[in-house]
Amino acid sequence: MSDTDINSLRDSRFSELERSVRNALLKQNSDLALSLLSRGALTLGSSDIHFEIAEHDVRIRMRVDGRLATVFSLEKKAYKLVLERIKYKAELKINITHIPQDGKYRIVDDDGTRLDVRVSTLPATYGETVVCRVLDSGRTIPAVEELGLMWTAKRAIDKVMNKKHGMILVTGPTGSGKTTTLYSLLCALNTTDRKIITLEDPVEYELPGIVQSEVDERDGYTYEAGLRAVLRQDPDVVMVGEIRDIQTAKIATQASMTGHLVLSTLHTKSSIETVERLMNMGLPLHVLASSVDIIVAQRLVRRICEHCRTSEPADSHQNHVIANIMSELGMDAVRKANKNGYTLHRGTGCEACGHTGYRGRVGVYEVLIFSDRVRDAIRAGSSPQKILEVARDEDLILMREDAVLKAMRGKTTFEEVFSVLEF
């Protein structure tokens, strides 16, 4: 986000929040100030609130559509009131400042609307810095059809979800939308004839009809221990928040081959890196080939604001990139039909998007389907590059290609694609 974007966001959307919070703190009402900040973050579409302490003051920033924007700064005396209220509500030790602490608090409105906030404190040079993750329990989980998957990928995922056993892995870095994708899949699977159990760290959104268990590694309740216990509960579908080690990987893959549908995540950058990571963990090749059905690698890019979206001709560099993508995808007819250039889109900026041109985010995906040829390549000990070549022969669309196609359809901009993905 440019300085202009940040300033326009501050001027048009953050000023009233700042005034309200300062007024509450002037009255020593730290509970109201924290509630205003938490609710304000939700209203502004922010996923996180950052309290960053410096030598003379404390900067408050919010992550909106994946980008940090400065809201305002607080004097240290005022911040102390907010910090103590955060730690009190999150049941953290107020007098402990030299080690990190984690917790969560809940705000409930008169109408029963609930807002959960996850808290992480960290000792820094000038005091404690805090990050609050805002979890909107009232948020609507998108249907699988709304995620933006290509129809071939969506069809393959539907096929696996209709099986009695198998494994779907969703991968990407922190903040790439993995949890949303998993919850969309779980909602689609959530029927009265299925027993679904999840292991999460933490439980971010409560899903009616699904048994959700929160791991706590400090008390010895790890993913590995939790997964062993879950499998004794006669589930049909199991969601493991993250595969972090070989023991969890072995139990999860074994479960997928013995009558369970397993969903999980890994922190890898691409679908083929996920295969490589599991290999490097020590998962036997025959187990990897037989247990996994689909790997969904993903990122989030900012969506063009629908209120101020305009079209414009692509420049020479953009036309060159698009033509190469069309050639890689075997879409020569499209390339030839647009020999005079392609049309792209952008947001001009308006009140609805805080004059940034973007509002919300959309997923870009790379879906590796474990076909017979891909499984054979894994069993044969082929290199990740060779496995990727086999998948490309079977129409694997790379993430950058999916992103460019979304930019051509007016979902995002070329600038956003290049800022998020590697080309």
Side-chain angles (χ1 to χ4, degrees), residues 115-127:
L115 177 64
D116 293 316
V117 181
R118 196 169 77 215
V119 176
S120 172
T121 72
L122 185 73
T125 304
Y126 298 104

Side-chain angles (χ1 to χ4, degrees), residues 275-336:
V275 174
E276 188 173 13
R277 172 72 61 81
L278 291 170
M279 288 177 173
N280 291 338
M281 276 186 181
L283 191 66
L285 297 180
H286 70 278
V287 173
L288 172 60
S290 301
S291 59
V292 178
D293 290 276
I294 285 178
I295 297 174
V296 180
Q298 66 177 77
R299 298 286 191 285
L300 292 176
V301 295
R302 289 183 293 171
R303 186 192 296 269
I304 296 174
C305 175
E306 295 182 357
H307 296 276
C308 60
R309 181 171 54 197
T310 60
S311 301
E312 61 183 19
D315 62 30
S316 58
H317 172 67
Q318 292 167 340
N319 278 317
H320 177 70
V321 172
I322 295 172
N324 285 341
I325 292 291
M326 295 299 104
S327 180
E328 289 177 10
L329 292 175
M331 300 172 69
D332 288 327
V334 175
R335 181 171 59 85
K336 292 176 181 178

